[in-house]
Amino acid sequence: MSEEEKAEITKIGVVGAGAWGTALAQQSANAGCDVTLWAREDEVVTSINERHENELFLQGVPLAKQIKATNDLAAMGSMDFIFMVVPAQFVRNVLSDLKQYISENAVIVLCAKGIEQSTGKLMTEVVAEILPKSPLVVLSGPTFAHEVAKGLPSAVTVASKYQRVARRLSDAIGLPTFRPYASRDVVGAEIGGALKNVFAIACGITTGRKMGENARAALITRSLSEMVRFGERYGAERATMMGLCGLGDLILTCSSPQSRNMSLGIAIGEGKTGEEIMSGRRTVAEGFHTSSILAKICKDEELDLPIIMAVNAILHEGKDIDTAIMDLLNRPFVDEIENKN
């Protein structure tokens, strides 16, 4: 490799070494980028650097040897792109710690899917508060970490108001088996990723209650309607909700127990409580936290999103599951497509 080619190598820092962060590090390394992966846990750093595997969060997937793991945030200081892949409720604190090390030219790639529980703010709003001058990209779409890390075909939305930045990122990490599609609708890309987690819990509950495939298909479709309604409140484009980061992610997350949120819902549907399930997990089901703040936003904004309200009532208000289901089924019959005239 020539010195000129070396100079052109994109430096990518991934903050958060859970399954998805590790998969994105693997994808970036396979695309030829120089990758540094930050992990909070010392055992994860050791596992990746010495055995080239994240034995804690992505067991059984051999990782590219050029991935360097660290628990020092200062290592992010020279990166071209910084992927934020920590759980949504930790984004603010980690970004605040990271701020002192990075330049204003570093592009923040937001990969966390959720809404801040304490403030009701979107992750893009949190990033803008802490790093107001940093270019921002939202990366979201229908992706299971194990499949991306193994190089199975996937596609994602890469959204930014700076299309040049979005395309530079796509060129850096894209491969035939990992296809980034550019978008300008940053808010829409984020909302799709946040809300689908709550709907996946709902689908899991119906699966755990053995309500059948018809019920799940209807629930996914009505969930999309709620996603569009919520997104339009924030200025998101309807077309974005129909794309990879909306409908695509919704279908994937609501259709397989591989989804942490759906598997949480299945366990709840089978009779376990949300608290006991969450306490026994090392990984985070973002929808558990997002549901409560979404319900508050719906009340404050007078948004009619009954599926979200039902999930919150089951998870956080102690409502009986069968009562919540019957309340949904007994809602008045209405037109499928809302008439805005």
Side-chain angles (χ1 to χ4, degrees):
M1 183 181 292
S2 69
E3 290 302 316
E4 182 177 337
E5 287 173 321
K6 288 180 182 179
E8 292 176 353
I9 291 176
T10 302
K11 291 178 144 186
I12 288 183
V14 180
V15 178
W20 185 221
T22 304
L24 285 170
Q26 174 86 327
Q27 171 60 33
S28 300
N30 288 342
C33 299
D34 182 356
V35 182
T36 301
L37 176 59
W38 178 86
R40 188 180 298 278
E41 303 86 356
D42 290 336
E43 62 267 37
V44 171
V45 173
T46 300
S47 175
I48 293 172
N49 286 339
E50 295 184 3
R51 295 180 291 280
H52 308 295
E53 181 183 349
N54 188 336
E55 296 163 332
L56 196 59
F57 295 113
L58 201 64
Q59 190 174 23
V61 179
L63 299 178
K65 292 184 179 180
Q66 61 265 41
I67 296 174
K68 301 180 291 290
T70 181
N71 55 14
D72 183 6
L73 278 175
M76 298 294 115
S78 61
M79 300 298 146
D80 300 311
F81 294 94
I82 299 174
F83 290 66
M84 286 299 301
V85 207
V86 296
Q89 306 310 320
F90 297 100
V91 165
R92 181 180 294 276
N93 287 340
V94 174
L95 266 184
S96 296
D97 292 339
L98 180 65
K99 180 179 180 179
Q100 61 184 305
Y101 301 116
I102 64 175
S103 74
E104 293 179 354
N105 294 324
V107 178
I108 304 300
V109 183
L110 184 57
C111 308
K113 297 177 178 179
I115 295 175
E116 192 171 49
Q117 199 171 21
S118 59
T119 65
K121 292 183 177 179
L122 301 176
M123 293 295 101
T124 49
E125 294 176 304
V126 174
V127 174
E129 279 186 12
I130 299 169
L131 298 169
K133 296 182 179 179
S134 296
L136 176 64
V137 178
V138 172
L139 188 154
S140 187
T143 49
F144 284 143
H146 277 81
E147 295 186 12
V148 170
K150 290 176 180 177
L152 297 176
S154 304
V156 295
T157 299
V158 176
S160 177
K161 65 180 182 179
Y162 306 106
Q163 284 298 282
R164 181 182 57 81
V165 173
R167 296 200 181 280
R168 185 158 64 92
L169 176 62
S170 296
D171 290 342
I173 66 173
L175 287 173
T177 53
F178 189 82
R179 296 183 55 79
Y181 287 81
S183 169
R184 288 182 171 82
D185 187 6
V186 175
V187 172
E190 181 180 3
I191 285 175
L195 269 65
K196 59 91 183 181
N197 289 324
V198 180
F199 299 133
I201 294 174
C203 285
I205 291 172
T206 64
T207 301
R209 275 295 198 264
K210 298 183 170 26
M211 296 179 67
E213 294 301 310
N214 291 351
R216 185 170 62 85
L219 187 55
I220 291 173
T221 308
R222 296 311 299 166
S223 294
L224 178 61
S225 177
E226 293 195 13
M227 183 184 289
V228 169
R229 210 174 308 150
F230 188 89
E232 288 180 338
R233 158 64 182 79
Y234 281 87
E237 298 174 13
R238 182 177 288 254
T240 305
M241 302 292 99
M242 303 300 173
L244 290 165
C245 57
L247 178 59
D249 209 355
L250 183 67
I251 292 172
L252 182 72
T253 312
C254 293
S255 302
S256 171
Q258 284 189 66
S259 159
R260 293 190 292 264
N261 292 281
M262 186 174 183
S263 64
L264 170 66
I266 291 172
I268 291 170
E270 291 173 343
K272 297 179 182 177
T273 67
E275 288 76 10
E276 65 184 2
I277 300 165
M278 294 292 285
S279 65
R281 289 186 169 206
R282 185 179 289 274
T283 56
V284 175
E286 296 277 20
F288 182 85
H289 303 290
T290 303
S291 61
S292 61
I293 187 59
L294 276 176
K296 182 180 184 303
I297 292 171
C298 289
K299 290 176 183 176
D300 292 346
E301 300 290 334
E302 297 183 348
L303 289 170
D304 182 26
L305 306 182
I307 298 170
I308 285 174
M309 299 304 290
V311 171
N312 175 68
I314 292 169
L315 292 182
H316 302 291
E317 297 175 358
K319 188 168 184 175
D320 175 72
I321 295 174
D322 293 322
T323 301
I325 291 171
M326 290 308 300
D327 285 348
L328 283 174
L329 294 176
N330 285 316
R331 283 172 57 85
F333 303 135
V334 297
D335 293 341
E336 182 176 17
I337 306 300
E338 182 181 355
N339 187 350
K340 295 185 177 182
N341 294 328

